[in-house]
Amino acid sequence: MLCIANAIIYGLKVNLATAIIGMVKRKPGVPDWSDECPEFEPDTSEVTDIDGPFDWSSKEQGLVVSMYFAGYLVGMFPSGYCADRFHTKTVLLFCVLGNALLTILVPVAANALSALYTVRFLTGVVSAANLPIVNVLVGKWVIYEEKSMWVGIIYAGTSLGTVISILTSGMILNFMGWEAIFYIHGILPLIWCVVFYIFFEDSPEEQKYITEEERSLIVNSYGHRSPGTRKMKIPWKSIFTSVPFWALIATNTLGNFCWYFLLTQMPLYMNKILRFDVKSNAIITCTPYFINAFTNPLLGKMLDWGRQKGIWTQTIARKIAVFVSSIPPSIFLIIIAYIGCARVTSTVLLTLSIVVCGAIFVGHLCNQNDLAPNYAGILMGITNTPGTISAFILPPIVGALVEEGHTMARWRYVFWITVIAQVLGFLIFVTFGSAKIQEWNYAAPDVENWDTEEQQRGPRQEETKT
């Protein structure tokens, strides 16, 4: 269910990137695509551009996409706090339901840019709870020995959601128009909400449909987060004086550039520079995310296997994942930026970039749960607030650069911004990052009458099981 929730939220995050191709008017006299590779034009020039109803500039189009991430950034810490301190199941239901309803409103709001900005901003706010919730529920439901594998499986939903969203958005746009994208994508998640509300609980301690053997295995595992941790005092001073925590903030801020660049701008690059039509664009763009849905769980399983065999520690496992998500895609992006009209090579390298960049989900995006499972939601809320900056600033940057037309030279600036950020993020994490459970994870409860049984089986007991 977490995997499907991720698929829903990520699908609704990226559908506008495809839909907007059919929402805006073509501008006569303005080179809305690159003419540097004329060999692309004979087969594609008549079908790559759809004349939509809205006369938006490139900057306005960039803002339509990025306002979602502005809301995401603003909502990250409050939603992380709510996911950590309140009933996580309820927060997740609110997150998915809010996404669905706001998506349905997009076609109406699109008639006024200010209304559309507001709807996209609010969608980002309610979506922000997604990653903190996953970190909290992983601490409750996943045993330490299988953490990387299950994180990979859960986050495979982000890739599957992206695949389904991009692929179906392209098809719906071709056959039914851009409005239908938001109506169809907004209604289907309501089914998930009903099923999740009826059959699933917040923790294994409360879950009805589970065997006692499985409940016992999870509850007594090392690092398990029990329901009582909601009442624990938050050690703010210890958190903000922790070197691994600050390294994680820096890595989240810089290490997300490649993922968000490819997520939000790849359909535009494929359409305007490589000149793929809408249907081909959707199929090619979604292919690496489909591959990612399988490679991430496999990478997570490999990292767990190596740690269990004593080949590397959990810290080294996380650093391997951060390396995979940072260095290979940086190399690929530099090559793409300078190979000119090599359309096939560019497409292959863009595909590989997304595949390897997806390792962020078994790298720094689950490191919060490594450092402090009892405060994973709050840590995610704090670290991923600056981690969303790249998603917010990249669409307007691209929009400003291509205002006078799409050229490879103008796109090259964005490629280099992304590469520099990724490499810096990797260097910081490999130097200062850690995956050890920190001492401040075991802070004292914040109430005097905390249940005695919870204290006996709680965090400090787990510390002795190392």
Side-chain angles (χ1 to χ4, degrees), residues 29 160 229 236 250 313 380 384 456:
L160 290 173
T229 55
W236 294 112
T313 63
M380 177 58 83
N384 212 39
Q456 291 174 348

Side-chain angles (χ1 to χ4, degrees), residues 124-205:
V125 170
V126 298
S127 300
N130 179 40
L131 295 182
I133 287 168
V134 168
N135 271 275
V136 172
L137 293 181
V138 164
K140 292 179 179 181
W141 283 94
V142 177
I143 64 173
Y144 185 81
E145 290 78 12
E146 299 177 352
K147 189 175 289 185
S148 294
M149 179 189 71
W150 278 108
V151 165
I153 292 172
I154 291 167
Y155 279 128
T158 63
S159 299
L160 290 173
T162 303
V163 168
I164 294 169
S165 181
I166 293 174
L167 188 60
T168 57
S169 293
M171 292 178 176
I172 295 169
L173 179 61
N174 260 352
F175 298 109
M176 301 175 67
W178 64 269
E179 298 99 327
I181 294 174
F182 301 103
Y183 292 135
I184 294 171
H185 286 181
I187 291 171
L188 290 177
L190 300 178
I191 300 171
W192 180 94
C193 292
V194 173
V195 174
F196 187 70
Y197 178 78
I198 295 173
F199 293 104
F200 295 89
E201 297 299 335
D202 187 62
S203 67
E205 288 89 340

Side-chain angles (χ1 to χ4, degrees), residues 342-380:
R343 193 187 202 190
V344 174
T345 305
S346 293
T347 303
V348 170
L349 291 179
L350 281 169
T351 301
L352 290 175
S353 296
I354 294 174
V355 171
V356 292
C357 193
I360 62 172
F361 293 105
V362 291
H364 66 265
L365 286 183
C366 65
N367 189 230
Q368 295 83 357
N369 202 276
D370 296 324
L371 298 180
N374 291 331
Y375 305 102
I378 289 174
L379 296 193
M380 177 58 83

Side-chain angles (χ1 to χ4, degrees), residues 40-94:
F40 296 167
E41 289 304 311
D43 297 326
T44 62
S45 59
E46 294 182 2
V47 292
T48 51
D49 300 290
I50 298 174
D51 196 12
F54 302 115
D55 189 17
W56 298 337
S57 68
S58 295
K59 290 180 182 177
E60 287 170 334
Q61 293 175 50
L63 279 173
V64 168
V65 175
S66 66
M67 283 304 291
Y68 173 98
F69 296 102
Y72 198 73
L73 188 151
V74 170
M76 184 57 65
F77 176 72
S79 64
Y81 185 88
C82 291
D84 223 317
R85 300 292 98 184
F86 299 102
H87 198 257
T88 316
K89 173 188 174 182
T90 303
V91 180
L92 180 56
L93 271 172
F94 178 80

Side-chain angles (χ1 to χ4, degrees), residues 301-314:
K301 181 67 175 177
M302 184 199 76
L303 295 176
D304 281 337
W305 173 83
R307 187 191 56 76
Q308 291 165 13
K309 294 292 184 181
I311 300 173
W312 49 64
T313 63
Q314 189 80 310

Side-chain angles (χ1 to χ4, degrees), residues 100-304:
L101 297 179
L102 288 165
T103 299
I104 294 171
L105 291 177
V106 168
V108 177
N111 292 295
L113 262 179
S114 58
L116 183 57
Y117 289 156
T118 302
V119 168
R120 290 292 293 170
F121 179 85
L122 292 175
T123 307
V125 170
V126 298
S127 300
N130 179 40
L131 295 182
I133 287 168
V134 168
N135 271 275
V136 172
L137 293 181
V138 164
K140 292 179 179 181
W141 283 94
V142 177
I143 64 173
Y144 185 81
E145 290 78 12
E146 299 177 352
K147 189 175 289 185
S148 294
M149 179 189 71
W150 278 108
V151 165
I153 292 172
I154 291 167
Y155 279 128
T158 63
S159 299
L160 290 173
T162 303
V163 168
I164 294 169
S165 181
I166 293 174
L167 188 60
T168 57
S169 293
M171 292 178 176
I172 295 169
L173 179 61
N174 260 352
F175 298 109
M176 301 175 67
W178 64 269
E179 298 99 327
I181 294 174
F182 301 103
Y183 292 135
I184 294 171
H185 286 181
I187 291 171
L188 290 177
L190 300 178
I191 300 171
W192 180 94
C193 292
V194 173
V195 174
F196 187 70
Y197 178 78
I198 295 173
F199 293 104
F200 295 89
E201 297 299 335
D202 187 62
S203 67
E205 288 89 340
E206 302 166 350
Q207 178 67 34
K208 301 183 188 74
Y209 308 103
I210 187 175
T211 66
E212 287 304 318
E213 290 81 5
E214 185 176 4
R215 193 194 319 276
S216 177
L217 173 65
I218 298 172
V219 168
N220 293 305
S221 67
Y222 172 63
H224 171 68
R225 175 177 177 146
S226 65
T229 55
R230 279 187 242 157
K231 303 174 183 178
M232 292 176 67
K233 183 178 179 180
I234 303 170
W236 294 112
K237 182 179 179 181
S238 297
I239 291 174
F240 281 101
T241 54
S242 169
V243 173
F245 173 71
W246 279 104
L248 182 55
I249 290 179
T251 307
N252 247 29
T253 304
L254 299 168
N256 289 349
F257 264 77
C258 183
W259 178 258
Y260 280 126
F261 169 63
L262 294 169
L263 187 69
T264 63
Q265 301 305 304
M266 184 175 169
L268 187 65
Y269 185 83
M270 298 282 288
N271 180 248
K272 304 303 183 184
I273 298 295
L274 301 183
R275 301 298 291 142
F276 286 101
D277 63 81
V278 172
K279 183 190 283 188
S280 300
N281 192 347
I283 294 172
I284 294 170
T285 302
C286 77
T287 299
Y289 294 105
F290 181 75
I291 297 171
N292 225 337
F294 300 96
T295 56
N296 266 357
L298 289 173
L299 177 60
K301 181 67 175 177
M302 184 199 76
L303 295 176
D304 281 337

